[in-house]
Amino acid sequence: MPVEVVPYSPSWRAQFELVAGDLRQALSGVTSARVEHVGSTSVPGLAAKPIMDIDVIVSAEEMQMAMAAMSSAGYVHRGDLGVADREAFRPPDDCPRRNVYVCREGTLNVRNHLAVRDVLRTREDLRDEYGAVKRALAAEPDMDIDTYIARKSAVLQKVLAESSLTADECLQILRLNDPRNGGPGL
């Protein structure tokens, strides 16, 4: 299946706010819940796959309560999909297209998502470089999602080098995203 990357759309922020409002209402009993727009659609000016990524970040003690609230709101639990302390949910509709995760606060996965977003929002040079890499990869006719993720790793490491993550944490992320660097694919 080809990878689709499109120019940034200002509508993504408004779409996120609508979904986030619904999620906040569903999670009103989960006191630690924060709804964060992450991924490329959260960065103004960045080309992206037209699918929002949303992290619902909660304390370890409230993970089960948050998961139950998500299910009550019509989201279908899909499991952790191989990422510890992150539970994936299929939304009740496809408008807008989105991936929604309930994540335990403080994990490297959450800190990675927030770091990439925050650096790219402030560093236009890295945002533009990352966008160019994404567009070039998506333009390759036989590109698959796993190769796409792996081949973005070098530029993402440049982004993460500008964050508060340690060198060891950046290496862990590299290994997760690119099996050629000792990740799960080996």
Side-chain angles (χ1 to χ4, degrees), residues 1 10 14 30 50 62 67 69 75 102 119 127 134 151 156 184-185:
M1 179 176 218
V30 183
E62 292 190 311
M67 291 170 56
Y75 284 77
V102 172
V119 169
R127 178 200 68 200
K134 291 162 57 93
R151 289 182 52 199
L156 281 173

Side-chain angles (χ1 to χ4, degrees), residues 55-56 63 67 77-89 99-113 146 149 172-173 175-177 184:
D55 285 352
V56 174
M63 283 286 290
M67 291 170 56
H77 185 226
R78 299 173 54 211
D80 70 8
L81 305 182
V83 179
D85 296 315
R86 183 196 80 178
E87 299 296 326
F89 285 83
N99 298 313
V100 181
Y101 305 97
V102 172
C103 308
R104 184 174 60 82
E105 66 186 356
T107 62
L108 182 56
N109 179 62
V110 166
R111 291 174 43 243
N112 171 37
H113 284 179
D146 291 329
I149 291 168
Q172 289 178 56
I173 293 163
R175 288 180 176 150
L176 285 171
N177 289 336

Side-chain angles (χ1 to χ4, degrees), residues 31-168:
T31 58
S32 65
R34 279 182 15 229
V35 180
E36 295 282 349
H37 189 186
V38 296
S40 294
T41 62
S42 72
V43 179
L46 180 60
K49 294 189 314 297
I51 304 168
M52 274 193 294
D53 290 312
I54 300 172
D55 285 352
V56 174
I57 303 169
V58 299
S59 67
E61 299 78 27
E62 292 190 311
M63 283 286 290
Q64 292 300 319
M65 185 185 305
M67 291 170 56
M70 295 289 291
S71 294
S72 292
Y75 284 77
V76 177
H77 185 226
R78 299 173 54 211
D80 70 8
L81 305 182
V83 179
D85 296 315
R86 183 196 80 178
E87 299 296 326
F89 285 83
R90 181 176 300 112
D93 58 63
D94 287 332
C95 189
R97 290 172 56 198
R98 61 199 182 276
N99 298 313
V100 181
Y101 305 97
V102 172
C103 308
R104 184 174 60 82
E105 66 186 356
T107 62
L108 182 56
N109 179 62
V110 166
R111 291 174 43 243
N112 171 37
H113 284 179
L114 297 174
V116 168
R117 179 197 68 191
D118 294 347
V119 169
L120 291 175
R121 283 180 174 176
T122 60
R123 290 282 307 269
E124 289 183 27
D125 59 326
L126 290 173
R127 178 200 68 200
D128 294 346
E129 181 179 354
Y130 184 43
V133 167
K134 291 162 57 93
R135 286 189 303 276
L137 290 171
E140 294 183 24
D142 295 327
M143 183 57 58
D144 63 84
I145 193 66
D146 291 329
T147 303
Y148 173 81
I149 291 168
R151 289 182 52 199
K152 295 186 314 175
S153 291
V155 71
L156 281 173
Q157 286 296 300
K158 286 177 73 172
V159 171
L160 291 172
E162 298 299 317
S163 75
S164 62
L165 296 179
T166 67
D168 183 57

